[in-house]
Amino acid sequence: MAHGMRTNSHTGHTGHTGDTGPTGHTGRTRRDDWRESATRYALLPLRIFLGITFIYAGLDKLTDSTFMQASGAGSIGAQMEGVRDISAIPALVDLSLKSPVGFGYAIALGELAVGIGTLIGLFARVAAVGGALISLSLWLTVSWHEEPYYYGNDLAYLMAWLPLVLAGAAVLSVDALRTARRRTPRGPDGPARTGPGPAAP
């Protein structure tokens, strides 16, 4: 009788183990793999958005002959003069007004370089720092007067750059390819063999 009770207890325990056997383990593994992939690629949509947006912003300025003027409606000069007295740092606006066209080209080329670097993931952290500095300068000058503050898009762009400053571009990027190549062991005749086969003499 006692033996039968031990047998039943053992059988019940075995059945419970079967519920969390290979099938359950596979399900958990797939969920863990999905979560890991989602974490790795979490910043990719932000990278793509900021990259495309800054490329477009730079090209839009460079191809707008009205914008690249020292004066006149819609020009960079008129825009900076209009925000001079309502900016957080008027001295920064005064600096741009010494050469409005030069300042406009600096911003446009900076946006273009930042956008390309971010989109392809080349020196991604450096590009993100550049994007953050551009957004910061525009927030302190052009959009500082916006009330309430969340109406100004430059502050939102500044915050959006910070995760990329911290994390860089770890996937689908030139930086990731360069890192992978540096980590690949190299022998005297090139990369070490990692597959089956005879060792190099």
Side-chain angles (χ1 to χ4, degrees):
M1 187 68 170
H3 176 72
M5 291 178 63
R6 287 197 300 271
T7 302
N8 291 339
S9 174
H10 178 72
T11 303
H13 177 72
T14 303
H16 177 72
T17 304
D19 293 340
T20 58
T23 302
H25 177 72
T26 301
R28 288 197 302 272
T29 300
R30 289 177 179 175
R31 288 194 297 271
D32 291 343
D33 289 344
W34 182 88
R35 289 171 182 169
E36 182 180 350
S37 296
T39 301
R40 290 181 62 225
Y41 291 92
L43 292 180
L44 186 59
L46 182 63
R47 245 185 67 204
I48 293 173
F49 170 75
L50 290 174
I52 292 176
T53 299
F54 268 60
I55 289 173
Y56 175 79
L59 291 176
D60 187 48
K61 292 179 178 65
L62 291 173
T63 56
D64 187 350
S65 57
T66 300
F67 178 79
M68 289 298 182
Q69 298 291 333
S71 60
S75 66
I76 178 63
Q79 184 176 357
M80 299 311 294
E81 287 178 358
V83 301
R84 195 266 176 202
D85 295 329
I86 56 177
S87 67
I89 308 178
L92 184 60
V93 180
D94 290 338
L95 183 63
S96 69
L97 287 173
K98 291 182 178 181
S99 178
V101 176
F103 176 74
Y105 274 108
I107 291 292
L109 293 174
E111 288 175 334
L112 189 59
V114 163
I116 293 173
T118 300
L119 189 61
I120 68 175
L122 178 61
F123 302 113
R125 282 192 175 91
V126 176
V129 169
L133 290 176
I134 292 174
S135 298
L136 176 62
S137 65
L138 293 177
W139 175 51
L140 293 175
T141 55
V142 177
S143 60
W144 179 258
H145 64 284
E146 295 287 351
E147 291 185 1
Y149 73 91
Y150 50 79
Y151 281 178
N153 60 358
D154 293 311
L155 178 58
Y157 280 117
L158 172 60
M159 294 297 105
W161 282 113
L162 297 184
L164 297 182
V165 172
L166 297 173
V171 295
L172 299 181
S173 65
V174 176
D175 287 347
L177 291 175
R178 293 169 63 239
T179 300
R181 287 184 178 180
R182 285 198 299 267
R183 290 177 178 174
T184 301
R186 287 181 173 272
D189 297 325
R193 295 177 62 92
T194 57

